[in-house]
Amino acid sequence: GSCQGNSVERKIYIPLNKTAPCVRLLNATHQIGCQSSISGDTGVIHVVEKEEDLNWVLADGPHPPYMILLDGNLFNRKVMLQLKGTSRVSGLAVSIAKPNPPQGFSPGLKCPNDGFGVYSKDYGPQYAHCNSTVWNPVGSGLSYEDFDFPIFLLEDANETQVIKQCYQDHNVPRDGSGPEYPLCAMQLFSHMHAVTSTVTCMRRNSIQNTFSINPETVCDPLLDYNVWSTLQPINSSGKVDPQKEVIIVATRIDSHSFFWNIAPGAESAVSSFVTHLAAAEALHKASDVHLLRRNIMFTFFQGETFDYIGSSRMVYDMEKDKFPLRLNNIHSFVELNQVALRNGTVLWMHTDPVSRLNDSVQTQIKNLLNILSSSSAGTNVTLQEVGYSQPLPPSSFQRFLRARHIPGVVLTDHQAAFQNRYYQSMYDTPENIQMQYPEGLSPEETLEYVTDTAKSLAEVATVVARALYQLAGGANNTSAIQADPKTVSRMLYGFLIKMNNSWFQSIIKPDLKGILGDVPQHYVAVSSPVNTTYLVQYVLANLTGTVVNLTKEECLNPEKTPNTEKEMYEYAWVQGSLDPNSTSRVPYCVRSTVHLSKALSPAFELRQWGSTEYSTWTESRWKEIRARIFLVASKELEIITLVVGIAILVFSLLATHFINAKADVLFSIPRDPGAVAY
């Protein structure tokens, strides 16, 4: 209960509450990430703000092992590999660099999702393993190293200051010699249950489930849901007519960084899926969409960071007839990748050079590129085609190409290497995509304020929406199709700065109020659906659905209500906005074509935990994650305290034994002097 006598603990320890751990992830062959020993790791704190400070930790300091408070600018591969190779380090607390490191920082791979895209020894071998284009040149691969000590991120500058003050007061070396006891120490707990690889941990799960009454799971697959909807409603439980052509528009909605659940993903995910949502809204507003010859499917993939979990699952479901669409329904594929950091006005169109060797595919791709280029007329976007000899960047489209030669294009802000210098890192924040607000705005004003970034992304969305309209067979003038910068502003604010805002509150179901945390993160995780998935689902329903006049009962049970076409539409009873004159909300029913489909790698469905075809990423389980600082006494004082304690214990045992042995003498009842025996 809450009445634990922990006042002594509170006097000894200062807990660090705003931290994010590095946790262990596993795939078919490796384990990556960090962990502590089972009882946590402890060390004397040493602050490292420049590389020379490392000498004390690695060689000179007399009190190893050390817990390092590392400046964010030194959190790089060179320093980390030095620390990894020594037993004098017991853990690491990293402070965030302010401003973002100017040289860039990406703990991801130089060649993201290598081996799981379309290029291999059998398909475009000259493009495999980023042979021709290194997409993420600043990628250090730190996120994919395995560290046997805990590493925590300090999210709160005040807590970082508390640690530095404790270090200043107790641990600063005096005149080159070691500081005097007591010393300031830190303890980090992040013990992980899973080891070796996904194959090992899933086998252990399986054995536990078979033989144990209380099975203890050691790891879980990364999983979530893809969000998809169509321009014209389709029967989600049936099958689309094989003759019906569908254009797929796709983006990813997840990101990643070195630390668990720290994944702002401003440029790597949010910029593209927000643009995608704005394009979907603009298209739905066109008056003749129900007459278009081809349908359009808006698809938001989850788990793409981890070897294309969402897209590989959708392709698998299409091949196995577990999805309303089949692969041969796909007319063409348009993917929005990183689009917020355009150089001037240019947006690059990437295509696959291998499938273009096929004449019919080449003709369709040419048509697709022409339509895209012509759609940018009159906007502040210039579309340019990347050189013919360059492969596709890492993209969900690659998983579809693995299954079938589909004409497609990937739109990005980079011609070759990423413009994003903070790919898959904690610094891929609103500042990275130049989102700036004037001083002194209230949260409501910030939500509505149209930034330059929002205007730029709205223009990209306008071009995409117009091109899709033409691709789908639209004959009218497209100048009326226009994405709304105000909507884009709201989405950027909600997905990057503050989820718990008035707009998001008004468009979700009442029972989902709890998902609106403060700072949004876009990590795929193992408990699904995550906040991002829910919010993309409800934003898409809000932007593309219609408000219908149904009561709460009818909306929640559409199968019992006549004329609802339950198999064609989804219904949601949402909170609505606050009534201006009271504290109550005005809820309503939204009808849309937005659906969720599973984003769990087929490897787990097929129990092929060592698969090289599908993603095999799992996340280890853990018991507790916490960090705290305290003062530690010298070893001599600890030994003296122990010896004195043992001496007192031995003395008390001897005294007890002696008293016990002489108890009849010491505690005998004195005789009554008056009683004399004869």
Side-chain angles (χ1 to χ4, degrees):
S2 57
C3 306
Q4 292 171 340
N6 63 356
S7 56
V8 175
E9 181 175 345
R10 283 209 300 274
K11 286 192 171 87
I12 299 172
Y13 298 107
I14 299 175
L16 303 171
N17 299 320
K18 297 275 293 283
T19 60
C22 154
V23 304
R24 175 169 289 164
L25 298 172
L26 309 101
N27 67 8
T29 50
H30 289 73
Q31 61 178 34
I32 62 170
C34 327
Q35 78 155 353
S36 73
S37 59
I38 197 157
S39 54
D41 287 329
T42 307
V44 172
I45 294 169
H46 191 74
V47 175
V48 174
E49 293 180 325
K50 47 190 189 298
E51 280 202 46
E52 298 79 76
D53 297 341
L54 284 170
N55 296 336
W56 185 263
V57 173
L58 298 173
D60 306 340
H63 306 120
Y66 284 96
M67 274 281 171
I68 298 174
L69 173 55
L70 188 69
D71 183 272
N73 288 301
L74 290 177
F75 184 53
N76 56 46
R77 188 176 181 86
K78 179 185 164 203
V79 169
M80 291 305 293
L81 292 186
Q82 273 180 282
L83 301 179
K84 189 177 175 179
T86 175
S87 58
R88 290 174 59 91
V89 173
S90 59
L92 218 69
V94 181
S95 63
I96 296 175
K98 293 259 167 58
N100 292 354
Q103 69 281 16
F105 172 74
S106 170
L109 298 168
K110 289 187 188 302
C111 190
N113 292 6
D114 186 25
F116 289 86
V118 70
Y119 303 110
S120 64
K121 63 180 194 305
D122 306 318
Y123 187 100
Q126 68 273 36
Y127 307 121
H129 314 303
C130 295
N131 280 344
S132 62
T133 309
V134 176
W135 296 108
N136 186 27
V138 293
S140 64
L142 257 189
S143 287
Y144 296 84
E145 290 287 331
D146 183 37
F147 296 94
D148 58 359
F149 50 77
I151 304 176
F152 278 54
L153 177 70
L154 299 170
E155 296 182 78
D156 184 352
N158 293 336
E159 288 188 343
T160 307
Q161 204 44 54
V162 168
I163 300 168
K164 285 185 176 175
Q165 194 56 53
C166 190
Y167 167 79
Q168 294 289 343
D169 295 346
H170 300 279
N171 295 13
V172 174
R174 310 276 174 218
D175 310 318
S177 64
E180 297 293 316
Y181 282 99
L183 296 173
C184 191
M186 185 187 293
Q187 190 172 24
L188 302 177
F189 297 83
S190 63
H191 181 66
M192 300 287 142
H193 295 336
V195 291
T196 313
S197 68
T198 290
V199 177
T200 304
C201 79
M202 291 301 287
R203 188 174 64 239
R204 284 183 183 168
N205 285 354
S206 181
I207 292 168
Q208 286 267 355
N209 290 334
T210 309
F211 297 110
S212 174
I213 300 167
N214 298 316
E216 189 170 310
T217 304
V218 292
C219 68
D220 302 281
L222 294 182
L223 79 154
D224 208 85
Y225 288 87
N226 298 323
V227 182
W228 64 276
S229 82
T230 51
L231 193 59
Q232 301 158 352
I234 59 171
N235 185 341
S236 59
S237 53
K239 290 282 172 285
V240 171
D241 179 352
Q243 304 307 311
K244 183 69 178 172
E245 292 183 322
V246 179
I247 299 156
I248 291 189
V249 200
T251 42
R252 67 174 58 191
I253 55 175
D254 68 303
S255 187
H256 180 43
S257 83
F258 187 86
F259 298 99
W260 183 75
N261 208 24
I262 299 291
E267 157 77 338
S268 62
V270 178
S271 69
S272 53
F273 76 69
V274 159
T275 306
H276 185 170
L277 287 162
E281 180 192 33
L283 260 173
H284 270 269
K285 283 180 177 169
S287 55
D288 59 338
V289 286
H290 57 287
L291 303 172
L292 294 177
R293 194 165 75 248
R294 299 186 183 101
N295 204 347
I296 297 171
M297 177 166 136
F298 305 101
T299 318
F300 300 82
F301 291 120
Q302 251 302 4
E304 295 300 273
T305 306
F306 294 96
D307 300 335
Y308 306 119
I309 294 172
S311 52
S312 62
R313 178 53 185 258
M314 188 172 279
V315 171
Y316 173 82
D317 285 346
M318 285 179 175
E319 289 177 319
K320 296 281 181 278
D321 264 0
K322 295 179 179 174
F323 195 79
L325 255 69
R326 297 179 185 84
L327 286 166
N328 53 9
N329 286 117
I330 302 172
H331 168 266
S332 49
F333 200 103
V334 177
E335 180 167 353
L336 282 158
N337 223 315
Q338 307 179 74
V339 292
L341 296 176
R342 284 188 292 144
N343 228 338
T345 62
V346 180
L347 194 63
W348 294 96
M349 303 185 288
H350 299 257
T351 54
D352 170 41
V354 181
S355 59
R356 288 184 74 165
L357 297 172
N358 175 314
D359 286 345
S360 73
V361 173
Q362 165 70 340
T363 309
Q364 286 172 286
I365 289 177
K366 275 271 181 243
N367 178 47
L368 178 57
L369 299 179
N370 289 339
I371 287 176
L372 273 162
S373 299
S374 65
S375 299
S376 65
T379 66
N380 199 16
V381 180
T382 314
L383 280 143
Q384 287 191 21
E385 191 181 343
V386 173
Y388 207 98
S389 59
Q390 191 174 289
L392 285 166
S395 49
S396 311
F397 178 41
Q398 293 202 27
R399 290 303 303 194
F400 284 80
L401 273 180
R402 274 176 82 129
R404 186 182 170 91
H405 276 334
I406 295 166
V409 62
V410 178
L411 302 175
T412 72
D413 54 23
H414 55 89
Q415 181 178 7
F418 295 161
Q419 296 273 29
N420 186 3
R421 290 173 305 132
Y422 305 108
Y423 184 73
Q424 286 180 12
S425 91
M426 56 196 172
Y427 301 115
D428 192 3
T429 54
E431 292 77 42
N432 185 31
I433 58 170
Q434 280 105 46
M435 268 174 71
Q436 287 162 339
Y437 294 96
E439 292 287 318
L441 294 185
S442 69
E444 274 309 300
E445 289 166 340
T446 318
L447 173 69
E448 300 295 342
Y449 181 81
V450 180
T451 58
D452 290 342
T453 307
K455 290 174 190 163
S456 163
L457 292 178
E459 288 187 318
V460 175
T462 298
V463 173
V464 171
R466 289 176 181 177
L468 290 170
Y469 174 79
Q470 288 181 286
L471 269 172
N476 291 348
N477 188 339
T478 57
S479 58
I481 298 175
Q482 193 81 38
D484 182 5
K486 215 167 188 55
T487 307
V488 176
S489 290
R490 286 173 160 194
M491 289 192 279
L492 288 173
Y493 179 78
F495 285 114
L496 285 174
I497 295 171
K498 195 173 194 292
M499 276 190 168
N500 198 0
N501 62 69
S502 59
W503 185 49
F504 277 6
Q505 286 165 10
S506 71
I507 63 173
I508 59 168
K509 289 179 174 177
D511 57 340
L512 291 178
K513 282 197 296 254
I515 68 165
L516 296 176
D518 242 12
V519 181
Q521 304 297 350
H522 307 291
Y523 170 62
V524 54
V526 295
S527 53
S528 62
V530 293
N531 307 5
T532 309
T533 308
Y534 274 131
L535 287 166
V536 167
Q537 178 190 3
Y538 284 101
V539 169
L540 184 58
N542 177 272
L543 298 180
T544 64
T546 46
V547 177
V548 286
N549 189 14
L550 295 179
T551 63
K552 183 177 180 180
E553 283 310 307
E554 291 170 335
C555 192
L556 295 176
N557 304 293
E559 62 282 353
K560 296 177 184 167
T561 314
N563 306 323
T564 53
E565 298 182 280
K566 173 73 183 96
E567 60 288 342
M568 308 296 272
Y569 295 102
E570 293 284 325
Y571 290 82
W573 185 255
V574 300
Q575 289 199 114
S577 41
L578 280 169
D579 194 333
N581 305 325
S582 72
T583 53
S584 61
R585 294 184 172 275
V586 187
Y588 56 91
C589 187
V590 175
R591 184 185 77 179
S592 70
T593 59
V594 181
H595 307 277
L596 296 181
S597 70
K598 231 183 202 170
L600 166 67
S601 169
F604 298 101
E605 203 90 336
L606 301 164
R607 294 174 71 84
Q608 294 173 0
W609 303 319
S611 172
T612 52
E613 167 78 5
Y614 297 113
S615 169
T616 52
W617 286 105
T618 51
E619 181 185 275
S620 172
R621 290 225 177 158
W622 58 80
K623 221 173 210 83
E624 63 172 348
I625 300 272
R626 61 193 172 99
R628 59 191 186 180
I629 61 172
F630 55 95
L631 292 180
V632 64
S634 69
K635 283 278 179 281
E636 291 80 4
L637 183 58
E638 286 178 348
I639 289 165
I640 290 167
T641 309
L642 180 66
V643 169
V644 169
I646 291 170
I648 292 169
L649 175 68
V650 170
F651 175 75
S652 62
L653 288 171
L654 289 171
T656 308
H657 175 73
F658 173 76
I659 291 166
N660 205 29
K662 304 289 182 186
D664 54 334
V665 177
L666 294 170
F667 305 113
S668 60
I669 300 165
R671 289 181 180 172
D672 184 351
V676 181
Y678 290 100

